[in-house]
């Protein structure tokens, strides 16, 4: 392990200090929060101060490593803390994948034969980070091969460097296409209720001078009807064996609209997002969040409510898009079309 600084997570090896950029405060306030112990990290993951499927896995891995280096706990304590971190949010499988990698769950021997030294956990955490950076590069390059010059691309939620430690997933493809001079324009869904698009995707695009237009989620249909959108790119939190996938709430709506208007719709994610324990989207657990998020809005300004505080709300953080309305899934290993998804190509890939 060594010191590092990415856009929304940083670690100082000398003093074992782990920090995350409070994404609730972006774009107006760049404030770093200290993860001094795993319980801090769990709170930050639950409240989405640190968010994004790949990044929460990395934050949890670094928190577990930091804890072992600081406290020198026994194996049962390490396993217990990894379980608490694993359970911080239920949908993004990257969190479970990262914890399984850190406690070496694939080693079938009794856990006493596994190496839980902080040196080894540091190597495992760094391996997860390095893989994530590489996978972002690979899926971004694969996805950019599909982008034609001058396209308008719609994206939902935030899937960029704020949500990963690389160039991003769907937003990584957009970044790569822009870098290749493909003269694209991005339509950014604000993504109610937590506004990851309106606050975070705009923050990333603004910083890099990538042209974009911010829209409310209810505007995508009209843009598609008027021929203003040529492609849709979104991320994923968990992909089932057959290609059904869970992503930020509202993704399914966008997929249905794209299907109706014959617009290519792509999911972009690392292979680690594919969960073989899920045969189809029906098996993916969907996180339900608190009513205040729907009753109002929050950001750097704090929290505002406009609905009656007694309002009953429906607030799933994710929805599931079925494989039959997906044009393709773009992974770090390549592009998989609907027929390949239906013939369980992802299952074969994972088992290689
Ligand atoms: C590359 S981020 C993937 C995924 O994670 C986000 O969820 P959240 O903002 O709740 O952490 C969103 O669904 C992105 O598409």
């Amino acid at each position: 392990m060594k010191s590092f600084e990415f856009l929304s997570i940083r670690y100082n090896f000398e003093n074992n200090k782990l920090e995350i950029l409070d994404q609730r405060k972006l774009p107006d306030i760049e404030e770093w929060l200290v993860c001094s112990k795993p319980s801090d990290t769990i709170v930050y993951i639950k409240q989405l101060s640190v968010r994004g499927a790949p990044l929460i896995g990395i934050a949890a891995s670094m928190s577990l490593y930091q804890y072992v280096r600081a406290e020198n706990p026994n194996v049962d304590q390490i396993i217990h803390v990894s379980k608490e971190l694993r359970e911080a949010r239920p949908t993004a499988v990257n969190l479970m994948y990262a914890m399984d990698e850190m406690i070496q769950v694939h080693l079938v021997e009794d856990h006493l034969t596994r190496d839980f030294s902080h040196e080894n956990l540091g190597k495992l955490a760094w391996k997860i980070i390095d893989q994530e950076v590489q996978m972002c590069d690979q899926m971004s390059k694969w996805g950019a091969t599909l982008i034609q010059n001058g396209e308008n691309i719609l994206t939902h939620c935030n899937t960029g460097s704020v949500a990963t430690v690389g160039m991003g997933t769907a937003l990584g493809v957009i970044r790569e296409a822009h870098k290749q001079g493909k003269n694209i324009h991005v339509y950014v869904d604000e993504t109610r209720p937590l506004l990851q698009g309106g606050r975070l995707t705009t923050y990333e695009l603004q910083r890099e001078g990538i042209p974009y237009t911010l829209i409310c989620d209810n505007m995508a249909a009209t843009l598609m009807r008027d021929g203003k959108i040529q492609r849709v790119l979104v991320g994923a939190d968990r992909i089932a064996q057959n290609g059904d996938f869970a992503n930020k709430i509202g993704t399914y709506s966008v997929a249905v609209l794209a299907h109706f208007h014959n617009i290519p719709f792509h999911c972009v994610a690392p292979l680690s997002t594919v969960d073989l324990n899920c045969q189809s989207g029906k098996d993916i657990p969907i996180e339900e969040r608190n009513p205040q998020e729907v009753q109002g809005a929050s950001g750097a300004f704090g929290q505002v409510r406009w609905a009656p505080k007694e309002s009953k709300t429906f607030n799933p953080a994710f929805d599931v898009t079925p494989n039959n309305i997906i044009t393709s899934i773009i992974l770090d290993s390549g592009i998989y079309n609907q027929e390949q998804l239906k013939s369980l190509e992802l299952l074969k890939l994972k088992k290689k």
Side-chain angles (χ1 to χ4, degrees):
M1 180 50 67
K2 57 189 176 181
S3 299
F4 61 76
E5 178 156 353
F6 295 100
L7 185 55
S8 51
I9 188 167
R10 66 189 183 194
Y11 176 68
N12 181 306
F13 182 78
E14 284 61 48
N15 57 18
N16 196 23
K17 187 175 181 182
L18 176 64
E19 297 173 278
I20 55 104
L21 183 65
D22 190 348
Q23 296 188 35
R24 296 178 306 170
K25 303 275 178 69
L26 292 177
D28 299 326
I29 299 172
E30 293 182 351
E31 181 183 308
W32 289 88
L33 299 174
V34 178
C35 302
S36 54
K37 53 190 180 300
S39 55
D40 293 341
T41 309
I42 289 167
V43 167
Y44 298 153
I45 291 174
K46 285 180 181 295
Q47 66 186 30
L48 277 76
S49 288
V50 56
R51 51 144 301 277
L55 187 66
I56 60 178
I58 287 164
S61 303
M62 283 305 301
S63 193
L64 186 66
Y65 160 71
Q66 176 203 44
Y67 161 67
V68 171
R69 192 173 163 209
E71 308 294 334
N72 191 28
N74 64 42
V75 174
D76 289 341
Q77 289 169 316
I78 294 171
I79 301 270
H80 175 73
V81 167
S82 74
K83 185 174 179 298
E84 288 186 317
L85 284 161
R86 197 181 200 279
E87 293 170 352
R89 290 183 76 190
T91 304
V93 73
N94 312 62
L95 181 54
M96 297 80 188
Y97 167 76
M99 287 299 97
D100 289 351
E101 288 295 298
M102 289 297 283
I103 59 167
Q104 302 141 65
V105 77
H106 54 285
L107 295 181
V108 292
E109 302 87 5
D110 175 277
H111 67 59
L112 295 178
T113 64
R114 299 177 201 169
D115 179 353
F116 285 112
S117 67
H118 71 78
E119 292 85 355
N120 189 46
L121 291 185
K123 286 186 188 134
L124 293 169
W126 184 253
K127 184 179 165 212
I128 293 169
I129 290 170
D130 191 45
Q131 279 177 342
E132 181 56 44
V133 172
Q134 303 303 326
M135 290 191 290
C136 280
D137 285 348
Q138 289 155 0
M139 66 184 106
S140 299
K141 288 180 169 56
W142 277 113
T145 63
L146 300 173
I147 311 296
Q148 304 304 311
N149 192 51
E151 280 188 359
N152 294 340
I153 299 170
L154 178 83
T155 192
H156 191 74
C157 198
N158 171 257
T159 58
S161 300
V162 160
T164 68
V165 284
M167 59 195 294
T169 61
L171 203 56
V173 173
I174 286 167
R175 214 171 231 125
E176 178 63 25
H178 176 74
K179 196 171 84 174
Q180 293 177 8
K182 294 197 170 180
N183 188 30
I184 53 154
H185 187 97
V186 190
Y187 279 90
V188 179
D189 266 356
E190 66 171 356
T191 317
R192 279 282 296 160
L194 294 181
L195 307 172
Q196 288 94 325
R199 295 185 299 105
L200 306 176
T201 298
T202 54
Y203 170 74
E204 291 196 51
L205 296 175
Q206 191 72 39
R207 292 170 89 243
E208 295 176 33
I210 299 175
Y212 69 92
T213 300
L214 174 60
I215 63 171
C216 295
D217 302 333
N218 51 14
M219 298 171 183
T222 296
L223 285 166
M224 291 184 184
R225 182 202 61 196
D226 294 348
K228 296 286 192 330
I229 306 290
Q230 283 74 52
R231 194 174 304 274
V232 178
L233 293 169
V234 298
D237 291 81
R238 194 177 305 209
I239 303 172
Q241 283 180 23
N242 68 346
D244 297 349
F245 74 96
N247 193 53
K248 184 52 49 199
I249 185 71
T251 303
Y252 175 48
S253 314
V254 171
V256 169
L257 287 172
H259 187 67
F260 180 79
H261 291 92
N262 297 312
I263 295 170
F265 175 91
H266 311 279
C267 166
V268 190
L271 184 58
S272 52
T273 309
V274 176
D275 180 5
L276 296 188
N277 297 316
C278 298
Q279 288 199 330
S280 76
K282 293 185 181 63
D283 301 323
I284 301 175
I286 301 296
E287 177 185 7
E288 293 283 341
R289 294 188 61 85
N290 68 51
Q292 287 96 326
E293 294 176 355
V294 174
Q295 291 169 345
S298 61
F301 54 84
Q303 171 106 26
V304 65
R305 176 174 56 78
W306 48 71
K309 59 182 178 303
E310 301 80 5
S311 309
K312 189 172 181 313
T313 64
F314 174 59
N315 189 17
F318 304 98
D319 57 25
V320 174
T321 299
N323 62 15
N324 63 326
I325 56 172
I326 300 169
T327 306
S328 64
I329 291 185
I330 302 164
L331 298 176
D332 44 289
S333 53
I335 300 172
Y336 301 88
N337 64 30
Q338 205 176 96
E339 286 325 303
Q340 288 170 304
L341 298 179
K342 288 178 178 172
S343 60
L344 300 182
E345 192 72 23
L346 299 185
L347 178 65
K348 295 166 198 160
L349 260 179
K350 282 288 272 195
K351 291 199 162 180
K352 271 182 187 164

